[in-house]
Amino acid sequence: MTPQDIASKLKAKFGDKIVAETLDVHDPFCQVDPMSIAEVCAFMKDELGFNYLRCLSGVDYMDKKKTTDDLGVIYHLGAIPDASLLFCLKVILPRTGAKVATVENVWSTADWHEREAWDMFGIDFVGHHNQTRILCAEDWVGHALRKDYKSPDEYHGIRNNVV
Amino acid sequence: MVGPMSVPLRLPRLRKRTSPKAMASPANIQEINFNTDAATRDNVLISSLDKVLNWTRKSSVWPMTFGLACCAIEMMATGASNYDIDRFGSGPFRATPRQADLMIVAGTVSLKMAPRVKLLWEQMPEPKYCIAMGACTISGGPYIKYGYHVLKGVDRLIPVDVYIPGCPPRPEALLEGLFRIQEKMKYERILDRTREGLRPEVLVD
Ligand code: SF4
């Protein structure tokens, strides 16, 4: 199944919920509407055979000139044992109130990945059963991998500034 | 006891107007001979209490099992057969702070971990010593600038006796750090618990 096949099947099924597609790159991907990502993923798994979520990553697309400040989530999909079956899905989210549907009911491995994306980027996974911080302390303030994040000068009475 | 065990101790008699210098002159110092019989020779040993205590203490340093990151791998190597920290009177890594008297902070201390490090340190009984092993523990190391949640030096939290730089330090360096701790222990005084008379913090390089 070529990336073109996958993209056309997705578009035939979901229509305008597939916002954009880029297929002539190393990792071909489709950009999906954030609230429809769960159904798209379920379709990918059940109909197209992507039984393996290789990685779910949060991204901060803010650049130095601040031309964009969007956040994103990227889903790298694969299959076992057919290692040649690879595809990516992508959602782009506004910086404030970033919300995307959870896919933990499709691949349960997404549970911890989504908690990490919440912890580091503040992306809200709607429907996640336990969306709490996974790496930082529970009382941590802010989301540390956002590019405009400033680490606190003090934490529980411990100095955290550099000098 | 009677007989040979009663060792005649003849100490210099204090006379009036004897200057300290005259007191210390060889003529006034009388040798105490304990070699009078086998029982005395084999059973009596004279030393200062400080020396004996420090010797026992330095010959059995019990570190705490406390690996936080990659430096802990080197600490494990130091404990394993190749470097064999047991040769030097240390090495039973304790799983509880209450049995340990040396904390080797080996690795990156995150801010989430920092209050726990402090708690563990406070649970250790005195006298206790601390080795900061590796760049992370000394200053935050590779994470000093962009590590948003890395403690920038464990000495912001607990007193450190010996710093061992390196990323990670080699096992030999950790052994050297242990020697410095042992050397420090030699200067402990039982009546001086403020640790003021001790040698200053040392750096293994
Ligand atoms: S000093 Fe280097 S080796 Fe040691 S914990 Fe830090 S990064 Fe790891």
Side-chain angles (χ1 to χ4, degrees):
Chain A
M1 203 160 30
T2 63
Q4 282 75 15
D5 296 342
I6 297 170
S8 53
K9 277 185 189 164
L10 282 179
K11 274 200 287 198
K13 178 93 171 56
F14 294 101
D16 56 357
K17 287 180 180 163
I18 307 298
V19 182
E21 60 178 41
T22 307
L23 302 176
D24 52 352
V25 288
H26 181 67
D27 267 344
F29 65 88
C30 280
Q31 188 190 328
V32 183
D33 169 54
M35 280 307 154
S36 317
I37 188 74
E39 344 165 359
V40 176
C41 283
F43 176 75
M44 295 287 273
K45 184 183 180 189
D46 300 336
E47 310 292 325
L48 304 185
F50 287 92
N51 54 9
Y52 177 34
L53 175 65
R54 290 157 70 214
C55 192
L56 185 156
S57 336
V59 189
D60 185 351
Y61 287 107
M62 179 189 270
D63 51 10
K64 281 209 171 114
K65 294 187 193 122
K66 303 227 164 125
T67 47
T68 165
D69 67 348
D70 289 338
L71 300 175
V73 182
I74 297 180
Y75 304 76
H76 282 82
L77 311 185
I80 295 173
D82 183 2
S84 64
L85 199 56
L86 296 172
F87 201 70
C88 294
L89 298 175
K90 199 184 245 191
V91 296
I92 303 288
L93 309 163
R95 196 170 196 79
T96 44
K99 269 190 177 46
V100 58
T102 176
V103 297
E104 66 160 345
N105 301 323
V106 184
W107 301 281
S108 35
T109 187
D111 177 0
W112 281 15
H113 288 243
E114 289 181 348
R115 281 177 66 191
E116 188 181 0
W118 158 252
D119 192 355
M120 292 296 157
F121 294 96
I123 295 166
D124 187 3
F125 290 88
V126 179
H128 192 286
H129 80 286
N130 176 28
Q131 185 173 282
T132 49
R133 289 187 184 273
I134 190 170
L135 294 171
C136 289
E138 291 84 40
D139 56 355
W140 197 259
V141 180
H143 300 282
L145 287 192
R146 285 197 180 192
K147 286 181 185 167
D148 54 358
Y149 174 79
K150 296 266 179 302
S151 56
D153 278 349
E154 206 197 355
Y155 176 75
H156 283 250
I158 304 161
R159 274 186 308 127
N160 187 38
N161 39 8
V162 173
V163 276
Chain B
M1 294 283 276
V2 288
M5 270 303 284
S6 48
V7 183
L9 287 183
R10 278 183 290 129
L11 299 170
R13 266 186 294 143
L14 285 176
R15 278 193 221 105
K16 270 183 189 167
R17 285 194 293 282
T18 308
S19 71
K21 206 172 171 189
M23 284 281 298
S25 75
N28 272 331
I29 293 175
Q30 312 205 359
E31 205 172 298
I32 304 169
N33 186 5
F34 282 97
N35 279 338
T36 47
D37 66 306
T40 320
R41 191 175 58 236
D42 294 347
N43 290 302
V44 176
L45 187 129
I46 288 189
S47 179
S48 75
L49 187 57
D50 276 344
K51 256 192 191 158
V52 175
L53 278 182
N54 291 344
W55 174 75
T56 53
R57 195 168 281 153
K58 98 180 209 316
S59 312
S60 124
V61 186
W62 286 15
M64 208 182 113
T65 306
F66 198 55
L68 295 180
C70 9
C71 271
I73 304 296
E74 297 297 302
M75 185 175 73
M76 292 173 215
T78 316
S81 54
N82 245 23
Y83 294 94
D84 193 8
I85 199 172
D86 294 73
R87 286 179 295 168
F88 305 107
S90 180
F93 284 91
R94 305 315 288 173
T96 158
R98 296 176 203 282
Q99 297 174 355
D101 44 14
L102 171 64
M103 181 185 253
I104 305 175
V105 188
T108 320
V109 185
S110 65
L111 287 175
K112 190 178 179 181
M113 187 67 187
R116 279 97 169 159
V117 173
K118 193 162 186 205
L119 182 71
L120 289 168
W121 171 256
E122 283 162 359
Q123 283 176 338
M124 282 167 61
E126 287 274 3
K128 52 193 172 187
Y129 303 85
C130 175
I131 291 182
M133 179 182 182
C136 282
T137 319
I138 293 173
S139 67
Y143 314 107
I144 186 161
K145 191 155 178 206
Y146 297 111
Y148 56 92
H149 76 317
V150 173
L151 180 67
K152 316 278 189 300
V154 79
D155 49 6
R156 293 185 178 198
L157 212 62
I158 58 179
V160 174
D161 293 289
V162 174
Y163 296 85
I164 310 177
C167 181
R170 287 192 54 90
E172 293 95 330
L174 182 57
L175 288 177
E176 177 69 22
L178 174 73
F179 300 157
R180 301 293 177 100
I181 286 278
Q182 289 176 329
E183 195 171 306
K184 216 171 160 170
M185 286 174 172
K186 283 204 293 203
Y187 294 88
E188 284 273 5
R189 298 199 42 227
I190 190 169
L191 295 179
D192 178 15
R193 296 307 316 154
T194 57
R195 306 178 81 166
E196 264 168 14
L198 298 190
R199 296 191 133 196
E201 284 146 2
V202 282
L203 193 74
V204 177
D205 53 13

